[in-house]
Amino acid sequence: MTGAVDAGAPGDGSAEPEPVEAEPVSRDAALIMERCDELATLSSNPEHLERLHLSREHAAANALVGEWMRQAGLSTWQDAAGNQCARLEGSSPDLPALLLGSHIDTVPDAGRYDGMLGVLLAIAVAGRIHSSGRALPFALEVVAFSDEEGTRFGTALLGSRALAGAWDDALFELTDADGITLFEAMQDFGLDPARLPGAARRRESLVGYLEAHIEQGPILEDLGKSLAAVTSIAGARRFSLTMTGKAGHAGGTPFEKRRDALVGASELVVAVEALSREYGTIGTVGRLQAFPGGVNVIPGRVDFSLDLRAEHDADRDTCLRRIRETAEDICARRGLSFESTEIYTAPAVRCDPGLRAAIESGIRSTGDAAPVAFHSRAGHDGVAISSVTDFAMLFIRCAGGISHHPDESVIEADVAVALDAFEAAVWAVAAGYTG
Ligand code: HGY
Ligand code: MN
Ligand code: MN
């Protein structure tokens, strides 16, 4: 080695310099990231994250989130629908509550921030407010909703629909992949379905609902921004579809004699994409199964799903009509039959302008002088909660807009700024609150 040797440079025999741990952007944000990682270990599948409504993993997640809620200084309970709830009293007892929250159930092979990040941000905000010693003019409640995705029973928002008092007893008959009804699953979870109405909140007991959630899209990343307010949430409709033809021998049956349900369904799947583009909607076939499923058997039946959503319900419903017409045309040409059962429907809902202004004020308080606001194509619990109180949402950038995938990710700096914005939004609601 030639030239002066720096003291401490490798190779001169002195100790390697200790790697300096990067200071966390914010202790609170670092804790939120750690807790997302911890919640991600509560999965029914050792290979990937999957946490279903009323499962053992859901019970464990409620217990863990409940412990974090208590550490933040809140009183906690699990409501009659299986939502994990917490409350921080305001300046006097029994005041109406501002709800903060999101969901802790997941899709199959999920990311660890969809829903969970919003619950943990809500707990952190409540903890900061509790520690501040400053009382709000209303109570603050945090809710970890039990079933936003609808993965287990097919229909969505079961936890938030119960809290909103928008329950339909027919839901108890929904069955999961093992034929277990929602009614039985509630009993197995230790809940009494007869007491479910007890989860419903009265409008006068609520000030509003604020939810922080990853964007699940690429807009914030394209804009180079961490946060956004939400203007509205897409109206969605979900269907179970069946196309039926006739099973047959894959070798002996000539094409002109076939009634191949899978080719028919495949034509419709491609048409869903084309018609969605044409009508400015978003249509997805997420699940498809061909029967009887032999590699040398022409499929006689195909069961598949349709998830169709749009900013405006009229566009969605026009597109749906065209999809149905296309299905009938395919069936007529191919000698097939088509059945469709609607399993979920929710109207597009607008965020409350006043609460949205509080969210935007929170974003401004973090130094973003020109907060952006846009429509959410993803569904959220606010769709159900909007039937009992006003709501608004804060979006947080996620890498590549990726979600419903294990590559879903956020950066700690965005979580830190989201936490500051979300807390400031609560104080902005308080500043404008007249009781
Ligand atoms: O489907 C949705 O948009 C939401 O992630 N449940
Ligand atoms: Mn989701
Ligand atoms: Mn979600």
Side-chain angles (χ1 to χ4, degrees), residues 26 57 62 93 110 112 122 130 156 174 180 211 218 223-224 243 267 277 282 308 318 328 348 360 385 398 404-405:
S26 117
E57 296 75 31
N62 273 6
R112 61 189 59 197
H130 175 253
L174 290 171
I180 297 169
E211 178 168 354
L223 292 172
M243 218 166 235
E267 266 198 66
R277 288 176 187 279
I282 289 275
L308 187 64
T318 303
E328 282 154 20
E360 289 169 341
I385 299 300
C398 57
H404 287 190
H405 186 281

PDB file of all heavy atoms in Angstrom, residues 26 57 62 93 110 112 122 130 156 174 180 211 218 223-224 243 267 277 282 308 318 328 348 360 385 398 404-405:
ATOM      1  N   SER A  26     -38.029   7.874  12.231  1.00  0.00           N
ATOM      2  CA  SER A  26     -38.808   8.252  13.414  1.00  0.00           C
ATOM      3  C   SER A  26     -39.033   6.957  14.181  1.00  0.00           C
ATOM      4  O   SER A  26     -39.333   5.918  13.588  1.00  0.00           O
ATOM      5  CB  SER A  26     -40.129   8.876  12.966  1.00  0.00           C
ATOM      6  OG  SER A  26     -41.232   8.118  13.390  1.00  0.00           O
ATOM      7  N   GLU A  57     -55.767 -17.233  13.178  1.00  0.00           N
ATOM      8  CA  GLU A  57     -54.803 -16.151  12.953  1.00  0.00           C
ATOM      9  C   GLU A  57     -55.483 -14.793  13.188  1.00  0.00           C
ATOM     10  O   GLU A  57     -54.871 -13.852  13.688  1.00  0.00           O
ATOM     11  CB  GLU A  57     -54.261 -16.230  11.523  1.00  0.00           C
ATOM     12  CG  GLU A  57     -53.472 -17.498  11.224  1.00  0.00           C
ATOM     13  CD  GLU A  57     -54.360 -18.726  11.046  1.00  0.00           C
ATOM     14  OE1 GLU A  57     -55.511 -18.569  10.586  1.00  0.00           O
ATOM     15  OE2 GLU A  57     -53.899 -19.833  11.397  1.00  0.00           O
ATOM     16  N   ASN A  62     -56.094 -10.069  16.555  1.00  0.00           N
ATOM     17  CA  ASN A  62     -56.897  -9.214  17.452  1.00  0.00           C
ATOM     18  C   ASN A  62     -56.229  -9.074  18.817  1.00  0.00           C
ATOM     19  O   ASN A  62     -56.175  -7.984  19.403  1.00  0.00           O
ATOM     20  CB  ASN A  62     -58.305  -9.804  17.622  1.00  0.00           C
ATOM     21  CG  ASN A  62     -59.275  -9.335  16.543  1.00  0.00           C
ATOM     22  OD1 ASN A  62     -58.868  -8.656  15.593  1.00  0.00           O
ATOM     23  ND2 ASN A  62     -60.531  -9.695  16.674  1.00  0.00           N
ATOM     24  N   PRO A  93     -66.423  12.341  29.639  1.00  0.00           N
ATOM     25  CA  PRO A  93     -66.746  10.958  29.263  1.00  0.00           C
ATOM     26  C   PRO A  93     -67.930  10.872  28.299  1.00  0.00           C
ATOM     27  O   PRO A  93     -68.728  11.796  28.190  1.00  0.00           O
ATOM     28  CB  PRO A  93     -67.090  10.291  30.604  1.00  0.00           C
ATOM     29  CG  PRO A  93     -67.061  11.329  31.650  1.00  0.00           C
ATOM     30  CD  PRO A  93     -66.646  12.628  31.048  1.00  0.00           C
ATOM     31  N   ALA A 110     -50.766 -12.291   0.436  1.00  0.00           N
ATOM     32  CA  ALA A 110     -50.934 -10.837   0.548  1.00  0.00           C
ATOM     33  C   ALA A 110     -49.636 -10.103   0.847  1.00  0.00           C
ATOM     34  O   ALA A 110     -48.625 -10.714   1.223  1.00  0.00           O
ATOM     35  CB  ALA A 110     -51.923 -10.558   1.685  1.00  0.00           C
ATOM     36  N   ARG A 112     -48.022  -6.998   3.387  1.00  0.00           N
ATOM     37  CA  ARG A 112     -48.183  -6.820   4.846  1.00  0.00           C
ATOM     38  C   ARG A 112     -48.632  -5.420   5.254  1.00  0.00           C
ATOM     39  O   ARG A 112     -48.644  -5.077   6.428  1.00  0.00           O
ATOM     40  CB  ARG A 112     -46.875  -7.154   5.546  1.00  0.00           C
ATOM     41  CG  ARG A 112     -45.674  -6.306   5.162  1.00  0.00           C
ATOM     42  CD  ARG A 112     -44.396  -6.862   5.759  1.00  0.00           C
ATOM     43  NE  ARG A 112     -44.186  -8.236   5.283  1.00  0.00           N
ATOM     44  CZ  ARG A 112     -43.354  -9.089   5.879  1.00  0.00           C
ATOM     45  NH1 ARG A 112     -42.681  -8.708   6.957  1.00  0.00           N
ATOM     46  NH2 ARG A 112     -43.194 -10.285   5.402  1.00  0.00           N
ATOM     47  N   ALA A 122     -53.266   4.386  13.084  1.00  0.00           N
ATOM     48  CA  ALA A 122     -54.343   4.863  13.957  1.00  0.00           C
ATOM     49  C   ALA A 122     -53.979   4.687  15.423  1.00  0.00           C
ATOM     50  O   ALA A 122     -54.166   5.600  16.243  1.00  0.00           O
ATOM     51  CB  ALA A 122     -55.639   4.112  13.625  1.00  0.00           C
ATOM     52  N   HIS A 130     -52.852  10.597  23.399  1.00  0.00           N
ATOM     53  CA  HIS A 130     -52.957  10.231  24.834  1.00  0.00           C
ATOM     54  C   HIS A 130     -51.756  10.780  25.604  1.00  0.00           C
ATOM     55  O   HIS A 130     -51.891  11.373  26.673  1.00  0.00           O
ATOM     56  CB  HIS A 130     -53.038   8.715  24.959  1.00  0.00           C
ATOM     57  CG  HIS A 130     -53.031   8.238  26.381  1.00  0.00           C
ATOM     58  ND1 HIS A 130     -51.944   7.625  26.957  1.00  0.00           N
ATOM     59  CD2 HIS A 130     -53.962   8.320  27.368  1.00  0.00           C
ATOM     60  CE1 HIS A 130     -52.210   7.328  28.218  1.00  0.00           C
ATOM     61  NE2 HIS A 130     -53.431   7.740  28.493  1.00  0.00           N
ATOM     62  N   ALA A 156     -67.661  -8.811   0.876  1.00  0.00           N
ATOM     63  CA  ALA A 156     -66.655  -8.014   1.593  1.00  0.00           C
ATOM     64  C   ALA A 156     -67.295  -7.156   2.679  1.00  0.00           C
ATOM     65  O   ALA A 156     -68.513  -7.045   2.780  1.00  0.00           O
ATOM     66  CB  ALA A 156     -65.914  -7.121   0.595  1.00  0.00           C
ATOM     67  N   LEU A 174     -73.728 -17.580   4.293  1.00  0.00           N
ATOM     68  CA  LEU A 174     -72.561 -17.668   3.380  1.00  0.00           C
ATOM     69  C   LEU A 174     -71.658 -18.795   3.852  1.00  0.00           C
ATOM     70  O   LEU A 174     -71.512 -19.020   5.052  1.00  0.00           O
ATOM     71  CB  LEU A 174     -71.771 -16.357   3.403  1.00  0.00           C
ATOM     72  CG  LEU A 174     -72.440 -15.130   2.768  1.00  0.00           C
ATOM     73  CD1 LEU A 174     -71.621 -13.878   3.082  1.00  0.00           C
ATOM     74  CD2 LEU A 174     -72.567 -15.316   1.262  1.00  0.00           C
ATOM     75  N   ILE A 180     -68.229 -24.299   5.686  1.00  0.00           N
ATOM     76  CA  ILE A 180     -68.590 -23.756   7.010  1.00  0.00           C
ATOM     77  C   ILE A 180     -69.345 -22.448   6.803  1.00  0.00           C
ATOM     78  O   ILE A 180     -68.879 -21.578   6.045  1.00  0.00           O
ATOM     79  CB  ILE A 180     -67.317 -23.510   7.854  1.00  0.00           C
ATOM     80  CG1 ILE A 180     -66.584 -24.832   8.115  1.00  0.00           C
ATOM     81  CG2 ILE A 180     -67.650 -22.813   9.171  1.00  0.00           C
ATOM     82  CD1 ILE A 180     -65.201 -24.665   8.714  1.00  0.00           C
ATOM     83  N   GLU A 211     -59.503   6.997   7.574  1.00  0.00           N
ATOM     84  CA  GLU A 211     -58.701   5.794   7.337  1.00  0.00           C
ATOM     85  C   GLU A 211     -57.447   6.154   6.564  1.00  0.00           C
ATOM     86  O   GLU A 211     -57.512   6.889   5.565  1.00  0.00           O
ATOM     87  CB  GLU A 211     -59.486   4.739   6.545  1.00  0.00           C
ATOM     88  CG  GLU A 211     -58.673   3.492   6.235  1.00  0.00           C
ATOM     89  CD  GLU A 211     -59.495   2.308   5.708  1.00  0.00           C
ATOM     90  OE1 GLU A 211     -60.745   2.397   5.670  1.00  0.00           O
ATOM     91  OE2 GLU A 211     -58.882   1.301   5.332  1.00  0.00           O
ATOM     92  N   PRO A 218     -50.216   3.427  -8.761  1.00  0.00           N
ATOM     93  CA  PRO A 218     -48.914   4.052  -9.064  1.00  0.00           C
ATOM     94  C   PRO A 218     -48.904   5.586  -9.046  1.00  0.00           C
ATOM     95  O   PRO A 218     -47.877   6.198  -9.315  1.00  0.00           O
ATOM     96  CB  PRO A 218     -48.670   3.568 -10.489  1.00  0.00           C
ATOM     97  CG  PRO A 218     -50.034   3.508 -11.090  1.00  0.00           C
ATOM     98  CD  PRO A 218     -50.987   3.119  -9.975  1.00  0.00           C
ATOM     99  N   LEU A 223     -46.073  10.802  -9.201  1.00  0.00           N
ATOM    100  CA  LEU A 223     -46.026  12.233  -8.863  1.00  0.00           C
ATOM    101  C   LEU A 223     -44.841  12.574  -7.969  1.00  0.00           C
ATOM    102  O   LEU A 223     -44.569  13.738  -7.680  1.00  0.00           O
ATOM    103  CB  LEU A 223     -47.331  12.630  -8.140  1.00  0.00           C
ATOM    104  CG  LEU A 223     -48.624  12.616  -8.956  1.00  0.00           C
ATOM    105  CD1 LEU A 223     -49.827  12.833  -8.017  1.00  0.00           C
ATOM    106  CD2 LEU A 223     -48.585  13.690 -10.034  1.00  0.00           C
ATOM    107  N   GLY A 224     -44.186  11.536  -7.430  1.00  0.00           N
ATOM    108  CA  GLY A 224     -43.063  11.777  -6.495  1.00  0.00           C
ATOM    109  C   GLY A 224     -43.554  12.341  -5.173  1.00  0.00           C
ATOM    110  O   GLY A 224     -42.859  13.097  -4.495  1.00  0.00           O
ATOM    111  N   MET A 243     -70.344 -21.091 -16.647  1.00  0.00           N
ATOM    112  CA  MET A 243     -70.625 -21.364 -18.048  1.00  0.00           C
ATOM    113  C   MET A 243     -70.671 -22.889 -18.183  1.00  0.00           C
ATOM    114  O   MET A 243     -69.793 -23.591 -17.666  1.00  0.00           O
ATOM    115  CB  MET A 243     -69.552 -20.781 -18.958  1.00  0.00           C
ATOM    116  CG  MET A 243     -70.136 -20.216 -20.250  1.00  0.00           C
ATOM    117  SD  MET A 243     -68.943 -19.192 -21.112  1.00  0.00           S
ATOM    118  CE  MET A 243     -69.860 -17.673 -21.278  1.00  0.00           C
ATOM    119  N   GLU A 267     -63.267 -16.756 -23.813  1.00  0.00           N
ATOM    120  CA  GLU A 267     -63.697 -15.638 -24.696  1.00  0.00           C
ATOM    121  C   GLU A 267     -64.291 -14.519 -23.846  1.00  0.00           C
ATOM    122  O   GLU A 267     -63.989 -13.333 -24.053  1.00  0.00           O
ATOM    123  CB  GLU A 267     -64.788 -16.133 -25.667  1.00  0.00           C
ATOM    124  CG  GLU A 267     -64.332 -16.607 -27.001  1.00  0.00           C
ATOM    125  CD  GLU A 267     -65.501 -16.634 -27.996  1.00  0.00           C
ATOM    126  OE1 GLU A 267     -66.026 -15.542 -28.323  1.00  0.00           O
ATOM    127  OE2 GLU A 267     -65.889 -17.740 -28.414  1.00  0.00           O
ATOM    128  N   ARG A 277     -62.057  -1.526 -20.645  1.00  0.00           N
ATOM    129  CA  ARG A 277     -61.289  -0.407 -21.231  1.00  0.00           C
ATOM    130  C   ARG A 277     -62.250   0.541 -21.967  1.00  0.00           C
ATOM    131  O   ARG A 277     -62.182   1.762 -21.829  1.00  0.00           O
ATOM    132  CB  ARG A 277     -60.248  -0.925 -22.215  1.00  0.00           C
ATOM    133  CG  ARG A 277     -59.058  -1.634 -21.575  1.00  0.00           C
ATOM    134  CD  ARG A 277     -58.163  -2.180 -22.678  1.00  0.00           C
ATOM    135  NE  ARG A 277     -57.076  -3.018 -22.152  1.00  0.00           N
ATOM    136  CZ  ARG A 277     -55.934  -2.530 -21.630  1.00  0.00           C
ATOM    137  NH1 ARG A 277     -55.768  -1.225 -21.554  1.00  0.00           N
ATOM    138  NH2 ARG A 277     -54.988  -3.322 -21.178  1.00  0.00           N
ATOM    139  N   ILE A 282     -63.087  -1.051 -14.359  1.00  0.00           N
ATOM    140  CA  ILE A 282     -62.005  -2.016 -14.079  1.00  0.00           C
ATOM    141  C   ILE A 282     -62.647  -3.366 -13.787  1.00  0.00           C
ATOM    142  O   ILE A 282     -63.327  -3.519 -12.761  1.00  0.00           O
ATOM    143  CB  ILE A 282     -61.185  -1.568 -12.852  1.00  0.00           C
ATOM    144  CG1 ILE A 282     -60.364  -0.344 -13.200  1.00  0.00           C
ATOM    145  CG2 ILE A 282     -60.290  -2.667 -12.365  1.00  0.00           C
ATOM    146  CD1 ILE A 282     -59.049  -0.620 -13.857  1.00  0.00           C
ATOM    147  N   LEU A 308     -66.147  -6.057 -10.756  1.00  0.00           N
ATOM    148  CA  LEU A 308     -66.274  -4.921 -11.693  1.00  0.00           C
ATOM    149  C   LEU A 308     -66.495  -3.653 -10.896  1.00  0.00           C
ATOM    150  O   LEU A 308     -67.370  -3.610 -10.018  1.00  0.00           O
ATOM    151  CB  LEU A 308     -67.463  -5.163 -12.637  1.00  0.00           C
ATOM    152  CG  LEU A 308     -67.629  -4.163 -13.781  1.00  0.00           C
ATOM    153  CD1 LEU A 308     -66.440  -4.229 -14.739  1.00  0.00           C
ATOM    154  CD2 LEU A 308     -68.936  -4.449 -14.547  1.00  0.00           C
ATOM    155  N   THR A 318     -73.397  -0.026 -17.066  1.00  0.00           N
ATOM    156  CA  THR A 318     -73.479  -0.133 -18.540  1.00  0.00           C
ATOM    157  C   THR A 318     -72.520  -1.199 -19.034  1.00  0.00           C
ATOM    158  O   THR A 318     -72.868  -2.046 -19.868  1.00  0.00           O
ATOM    159  CB  THR A 318     -73.117   1.228 -19.179  1.00  0.00           C
ATOM    160  OG1 THR A 318     -74.000   2.217 -18.644  1.00  0.00           O
ATOM    161  CG2 THR A 318     -73.226   1.171 -20.690  1.00  0.00           C
ATOM    162  N   GLU A 328     -74.137 -13.945 -23.582  1.00  0.00           N
ATOM    163  CA  GLU A 328     -75.250 -14.582 -24.296  1.00  0.00           C
ATOM    164  C   GLU A 328     -74.862 -14.897 -25.744  1.00  0.00           C
ATOM    165  O   GLU A 328     -75.147 -15.969 -26.276  1.00  0.00           O
ATOM    166  CB  GLU A 328     -76.489 -13.665 -24.254  1.00  0.00           C
ATOM    167  CG  GLU A 328     -77.195 -13.729 -22.898  1.00  0.00           C
ATOM    168  CD  GLU A 328     -77.982 -12.479 -22.571  1.00  0.00           C
ATOM    169  OE1 GLU A 328     -78.304 -11.734 -23.522  1.00  0.00           O
ATOM    170  OE2 GLU A 328     -78.235 -12.227 -21.370  1.00  0.00           O
ATOM    171  N   ALA A 348     -70.539   3.582  -5.374  1.00  0.00           N
ATOM    172  CA  ALA A 348     -69.404   4.511  -5.235  1.00  0.00           C
ATOM    173  C   ALA A 348     -69.776   5.495  -4.131  1.00  0.00           C
ATOM    174  O   ALA A 348     -70.944   5.880  -4.005  1.00  0.00           O
ATOM    175  CB  ALA A 348     -69.173   5.241  -6.549  1.00  0.00           C
ATOM    176  N   GLU A 360     -56.297  16.999   4.111  1.00  0.00           N
ATOM    177  CA  GLU A 360     -55.413  17.855   3.293  1.00  0.00           C
ATOM    178  C   GLU A 360     -54.647  18.835   4.174  1.00  0.00           C
ATOM    179  O   GLU A 360     -53.463  19.104   3.943  1.00  0.00           O
ATOM    180  CB  GLU A 360     -56.240  18.568   2.227  1.00  0.00           C
ATOM    181  CG  GLU A 360     -56.714  17.593   1.142  1.00  0.00           C
ATOM    182  CD  GLU A 360     -57.766  18.187   0.205  1.00  0.00           C
ATOM    183  OE1 GLU A 360     -58.399  19.198   0.572  1.00  0.00           O
ATOM    184  OE2 GLU A 360     -57.974  17.598  -0.878  1.00  0.00           O
ATOM    185  N   ILE A 385     -68.911   2.159   6.144  1.00  0.00           N
ATOM    186  CA  ILE A 385     -69.045   3.119   7.258  1.00  0.00           C
ATOM    187  C   ILE A 385     -69.778   4.379   6.796  1.00  0.00           C
ATOM    188  O   ILE A 385     -70.452   5.055   7.579  1.00  0.00           O
ATOM    189  CB  ILE A 385     -67.657   3.469   7.830  1.00  0.00           C
ATOM    190  CG1 ILE A 385     -66.965   2.208   8.367  1.00  0.00           C
ATOM    191  CG2 ILE A 385     -67.757   4.515   8.926  1.00  0.00           C
ATOM    192  CD1 ILE A 385     -67.730   1.524   9.481  1.00  0.00           C
ATOM    193  N   CYS A 398     -47.037   3.506  -2.197  1.00  0.00           N
ATOM    194  CA  CYS A 398     -46.481   2.152  -2.064  1.00  0.00           C
ATOM    195  C   CYS A 398     -45.684   1.859  -3.327  1.00  0.00           C
ATOM    196  O   CYS A 398     -46.076   2.257  -4.423  1.00  0.00           O
ATOM    197  CB  CYS A 398     -47.563   1.109  -1.798  1.00  0.00           C
ATOM    198  SG  CYS A 398     -48.876   1.008  -3.009  1.00  0.00           S
ATOM    199  N   HIS A 404     -51.808  -6.466  -2.902  1.00  0.00           N
ATOM    200  CA  HIS A 404     -52.359  -7.821  -3.075  1.00  0.00           C
ATOM    201  C   HIS A 404     -51.291  -8.739  -3.664  1.00  0.00           C
ATOM    202  O   HIS A 404     -51.566  -9.583  -4.501  1.00  0.00           O
ATOM    203  CB  HIS A 404     -53.621  -7.802  -3.969  1.00  0.00           C
ATOM    204  CG  HIS A 404     -54.804  -7.231  -3.254  1.00  0.00           C
ATOM    205  ND1 HIS A 404     -56.091  -7.284  -3.752  1.00  0.00           N
ATOM    206  CD2 HIS A 404     -54.907  -6.592  -2.069  1.00  0.00           C
ATOM    207  CE1 HIS A 404     -56.926  -6.715  -2.902  1.00  0.00           C
ATOM    208  NE2 HIS A 404     -56.240  -6.280  -1.875  1.00  0.00           N
ATOM    209  N   HIS A 405     -50.059  -8.507  -3.137  1.00  0.00           N
ATOM    210  CA  HIS A 405     -48.893  -9.276  -3.591  1.00  0.00           C
ATOM    211  C   HIS A 405     -47.803  -9.137  -2.525  1.00  0.00           C
ATOM    212  O   HIS A 405     -47.656  -8.063  -1.928  1.00  0.00           O
ATOM    213  CB  HIS A 405     -48.382  -8.728  -4.933  1.00  0.00           C
ATOM    214  CG  HIS A 405     -47.295  -9.555  -5.534  1.00  0.00           C
ATOM    215  ND1 HIS A 405     -45.981  -9.485  -5.103  1.00  0.00           N
ATOM    216  CD2 HIS A 405     -47.310 -10.474  -6.530  1.00  0.00           C
ATOM    217  CE1 HIS A 405     -45.241 -10.338  -5.794  1.00  0.00           C
ATOM    218  NE2 HIS A 405     -46.018 -10.950  -6.674  1.00  0.00           N
TER     219      HIS A 405
END
